[in-house]
Amino acid sequence: MTSPKFTVIAPIFNELENIPELYHRVKDVMDRTGEPWELILVDDGSTDGSTELIRKLAENNPRVRPIIFARNFGHQIAVTAGIDYSQGDAVIIIDADLQDPPEVILDLIAKWDEGYEVVFAVREEREGETWFKRTTAALFYRLIYRITDVKIPLDTGDFRLIDRKVVHVMQQMREKHRFLRGMSAWVGFRQVGVTYKRQPRYAGETKYPFKKMFKLALNAITGFSYFPLQLATYIGFITAGLSVVAIPVVAILRLITGTALLGQATTLIVVLFLGGVQLISLGIIGEYIGRIYDEAKNRPLYIVAEGPEMPANENKSL
Ligand code: UDP
Ligand code: MG
């Protein structure tokens, strides 16, 4: 088979009912480009039979390249593996649950043809998602935008097209705690957004419970900002300033009225408050230290149980 011009990457964690529909819609769209393409299905430790279905699909369709992980490593790592193994001149990342309509890929490609190296899909509307998910997502994107150094476009997920040049850079970025949208924004080059309507899931339940979302948010913040670390400094200055002001106030009150501030409760509240702030600050430092530790261990990002050979010219220092 000629080497593909386009690579579509879909991470899969228990998406049995979505895989056939995903394949057909991606095939439909990609055939319309008239160029050779490949679909990398990364099985992220599925236990519902998705693995077998992916194997079968790959046997019957040479365009499908399966990468089967030894266990669940998480969505961001699964996509990373897809990027590492991709061969196309342009690489498209898409969710397997069809919330990102494959038809939008043609819009992404049109912008790529105009010369943009990163074309991200912006969610103009979200359908079929809970109020909680929509609100936390909106808040999260805005918080990240405010406190990080990289201007990560608002309301974008991982649904995007990246040019081979960006792929090469991202293959060099081996950080263990990954936030791919931030990483692809950090790279630079010419970037542009295309709006689309995010659909409800085709089948199945979300594989992103609150815990995983929270972890992703922490990775985004710690990966692109020192702000949480600086927070302790700011609070320290404020409390130190307050106490400097408090000293003469208490002294004068004592001289004039003869009574000090009422003691125990006030003291207790101040001690508890500062104790709490100090513990939180320690926890924040801990988050960063844990990440430094993971980087120092330098374990492989993922373990492939079954998969194709890596393209010969790509970065192999996993
Ligand atoms: N996914 C994955 N590993 C995980 C969790 C999710 O590969 O540990 C995949 C999942 O199969 C889907 C994509 O990541 O293709 C996005 O997940 P999901 O649709 O559950 O997230 P949501 O759209 O609800 O944020
Ligand atoms: Mg989804």
Side-chain angles (χ1 to χ4, degrees):
M1 204 170 78
T2 48
S3 79
K5 178 157 179 183
F6 297 112
T7 300
V8 179
I9 301 170
I12 290 172
F13 180 49
N14 296 338
E15 304 282 7
L16 189 62
E17 298 138 85
N18 291 320
I19 296 170
E21 179 74 7
L22 172 75
Y23 173 71
H24 286 120
R25 282 184 50 193
V26 168
K27 179 178 168 14
D28 243 34
V29 169
M30 295 316 290
D31 280 346
R32 267 190 261 164
T33 63
E35 301 283 354
W37 54 275
E38 62 176 354
L39 171 63
I40 297 187
L41 296 176
V42 187
D43 175 35
D44 186 16
S46 296
T47 51
D48 68 341
S50 294
T51 317
E52 289 70 28
L53 186 61
I54 293 170
R55 269 195 212 115
K56 231 173 73 193
L57 201 63
E59 271 168 30
N60 301 328
N61 305 283
R63 293 201 184 286
V64 175
R65 293 172 74 213
I67 298 172
I68 295 166
F69 276 1
R71 65 168 168 83
N72 180 256
F73 281 89
H75 167 234
Q76 298 284 302
I77 303 286
V79 173
T80 302
I83 294 175
D84 290 341
Y85 282 81
S86 67
Q87 295 173 318
D89 298 332
V91 172
I92 297 124
I93 301 163
I94 195 168
D95 278 358
D97 59 358
L98 295 158
Q99 281 199 279
D100 309 329
E103 293 70 30
V104 178
I105 294 176
L106 295 177
D107 301 339
L108 303 182
I109 291 176
K111 284 284 171 199
W112 179 66
D113 282 335
E114 283 176 29
Y116 291 97
E117 277 92 359
V118 175
V119 189
F120 49 85
V122 185
R123 301 157 178 181
E124 189 181 47
E125 249 176 66
R126 304 167 74 113
E127 282 176 22
E129 285 184 306
T130 60
W131 173 88
F132 180 75
K133 177 109 190 180
R134 275 182 286 129
T135 322
T136 49
L139 276 177
F140 165 68
Y141 291 126
R142 275 146 195 88
L143 176 75
I144 302 286
Y145 195 84
R146 286 291 290 274
I147 70 169
T148 60
D149 313 326
V150 187
K151 287 305 156 220
I152 301 163
L154 292 173
D155 301 318
T156 61
D158 289 313
F159 186 22
R160 62 189 56 222
L161 177 150
I162 55 180
D163 183 85
R164 188 95 229 137
K165 281 182 248 168
V166 177
V167 168
H168 277 306
V169 181
M170 288 184 70
Q171 283 171 340
Q172 311 294 317
M173 298 164 80
R174 302 317 290 176
E175 59 226 63
K176 311 293 175 220
H177 297 271
R178 303 171 77 79
F179 185 59
L180 293 169
R181 339 179 177 164
M183 290 164 62
S184 71
W186 180 87
V187 168
F189 291 108
R190 282 156 294 180
Q191 311 216 353
V192 73
V194 164
T195 55
Y196 79 109
K197 286 197 176 66
R198 189 147 161 94
Q199 303 297 312
R201 253 179 174 272
Y202 181 74
E205 303 264 290
T206 175
K207 307 299 179 307
Y208 254 97
F210 183 73
K211 209 173 134 196
K212 275 190 187 170
M213 268 172 23
F214 190 71
K215 258 174 85 176
L216 182 69
L218 274 186
N219 288 346
I221 295 168
T222 54
F224 292 92
S225 169
Y226 299 134
F227 179 74
L229 288 173
Q230 294 159 340
L231 217 52
T233 320
Y234 300 142
I235 299 174
F237 271 111
I238 293 169
T239 45
L242 275 178
S243 64
V244 169
V245 176
I247 294 166
V249 171
V250 172
I252 291 165
L253 274 179
R254 173 87 196 197
L255 288 175
I256 296 172
T257 64
T259 50
L261 286 177
L262 286 180
Q264 228 183 25
T266 329
T267 319
L268 208 67
I269 289 169
V270 172
V271 168
L272 283 178
F273 174 76
L274 282 182
V277 168
Q278 282 167 348
L279 285 177
I280 293 169
S281 307
L282 271 181
I284 292 174
I285 298 172
E287 282 297 329
Y288 282 85
I289 293 181
R291 283 166 168 76
I292 299 172
Y293 182 47
D294 283 338
E295 295 300 333
K297 278 191 286 190
N298 200 23
R299 291 188 184 157
L301 277 178
Y302 50 82
I303 300 160
V304 175
E306 288 166 49
E309 279 293 304
M310 267 195 135
N313 57 342
E314 301 299 355
N315 168 32
K316 284 184 182 159
S317 59
L318 292 178

